[in-house]
Amino acid sequence: MDEKIIAGNFKSNFNRKETISYLNKLNHIKTNHKIFIFPAISSIVENNFNNITLGAQNCYFAQNGAFTGEITLKHLEEFEINTIIIGHSERRNLFLESDDICAKKFHFFKEQKFCIFYCIGESLEIRNSNKELEFLKKQLEVIDLNYKNLIIAYEPIWAIGTGVNAELNQIKDCISYLKTLSKAPIIYGGSVNEDNAKDILKITDGILVGNASLNINKFNHIIKEGK
């Protein structure tokens, strides 16, 4: 199998000690794939691992300033972090980040030459109305689809953290459509686990793994499934 992007999003799990222990174990895993880990913000450590790229789950679009409760570019620079997730559905839904906010973040971190995982995905209501492709296109219209360090993460909202995965033909149809809009790698996220990763990796450029990434044995299995 060709080189794939395999990313783990720890969300608000693992403290710093647990994160370091996990990363030290993962760093010994040999693979030809590109491995990314997004720890909880307070658990970010120096990005000095051989086989892993660390990224931020979120960051405000400023060098520094009066943004209570947020971190800014200055905090990421301390740890040499230059990879970020923007537009994850939990940021959009729980913290009300609009397409406009996501676009501002994108353009700021584009200027910093970050590797950007830009997340998009439809709700079950939109899926049932057969308007998912139109919706996905609209979500992408606010960013530069030719940005060389862009990775598009397709994550149908109804399949994130629910244990329900989109069917392979549904994933393939959306991935194929997105590839007509951008030459960026298109990865999939949404209840990816050790049982379905192999099939999903066959039809995508990679995967963004949530809950299953918290168990290093499961995540290692997922990485090996990509061989």
Side-chain angles (χ1 to χ4, degrees):
M1 186 177 289
D2 296 334
E3 180 185 75
K4 300 288 184 176
I5 296 165
I6 301 180
N9 178 11
F10 287 177
K11 305 188 180 183
S12 296
N13 296 289
F14 292 161
N15 60 27
R16 183 180 296 273
K17 182 178 180 180
E18 292 168 330
T19 299
I20 292 172
S21 175
Y22 184 110
L23 293 173
N24 284 333
K25 293 175 183 176
L26 185 64
N27 199 43
H28 292 296
I29 295 174
K30 294 183 179 181
T31 178
N32 294 323
H33 299 308
K34 294 180 179 179
I35 307 300
F36 294 83
I37 293 292
F38 296 90
I41 291 298
S42 64
S43 299
I44 288 179
V45 295
E46 284 77 13
N47 195 7
N48 57 4
F49 296 91
N50 297 326
N51 301 322
I52 309 166
T53 298
L54 297 185
Q57 297 176 19
N58 179 50
C59 187
Y60 195 74
F61 46 98
Q63 174 68 36
N64 59 279
F67 309 108
T68 300
E70 291 282 349
I71 66 165
T72 59
L73 179 63
K74 185 174 183 178
H75 301 97
L76 299 185
E77 288 176 334
E78 178 181 6
F79 297 102
E80 299 183 356
I81 299 294
N82 54 17
T83 301
I84 189 170
I85 294 176
I86 296 176
H88 192 281
S89 65
E90 289 162 5
R91 296 299 310 176
R92 293 178 185 265
N93 296 334
L94 297 178
F95 303 101
L96 307 181
E97 292 190 0
S98 63
D99 282 340
D100 181 58
I101 292 294
C102 292
K104 287 178 179 178
K105 286 187 176 184
F106 175 87
H107 292 296
F108 177 82
F109 287 101
K110 174 190 171 185
E111 289 299 312
Q112 311 305 320
K113 297 180 171 56
F114 266 52
C115 173
I116 298 174
F117 282 63
Y118 198 82
C119 298
I120 58 173
E122 80 281 5
S123 67
L124 186 59
E125 180 182 5
I126 292 172
R127 163 65 64 169
N128 289 338
S129 65
N130 296 316
K131 295 181 179 179
E132 66 274 8
L133 300 185
E134 178 184 341
F135 181 82
L136 297 176
K137 182 179 180 181
K138 183 178 179 181
Q139 283 191 307
L140 290 174
E141 286 176 344
V142 298
I143 67 170
D144 178 6
L145 293 175
N146 294 315
Y147 177 50
K148 66 178 182 178
N149 293 324
L150 170 65
I151 295 169
I152 297 173
Y154 169 56
E155 296 190 301
I157 295 172
W158 48 274
I160 298 176
T162 62
V164 177
N165 202 300
E167 295 180 5
L168 288 176
N169 65 311
Q170 293 175 314
I171 298 172
K172 187 174 182 179
D173 288 346
C174 284
I175 296 294
S176 297
Y177 174 71
L178 293 172
K179 283 187 173 294
T180 69
L181 303 179
S182 175
K183 294 181 180 179
I186 314 292
I187 67 175
Y188 175 80
S191 297
V192 178
N193 57 49
E194 66 275 20
D195 296 321
N196 57 35
K198 184 175 183 179
D199 289 333
I200 294 173
L201 283 167
K202 289 178 181 178
I203 58 174
T204 67
D205 295 316
I207 47 179
L208 180 56
V209 187
N211 289 338
S213 70
L214 299 178
N215 183 309
I216 193 166
N217 293 324
K218 290 183 178 181
F219 196 59
N220 184 23
H221 180 80
I222 288 171
I223 293 171
K224 289 181 178 179
E225 284 293 271
K227 291 183 178 179

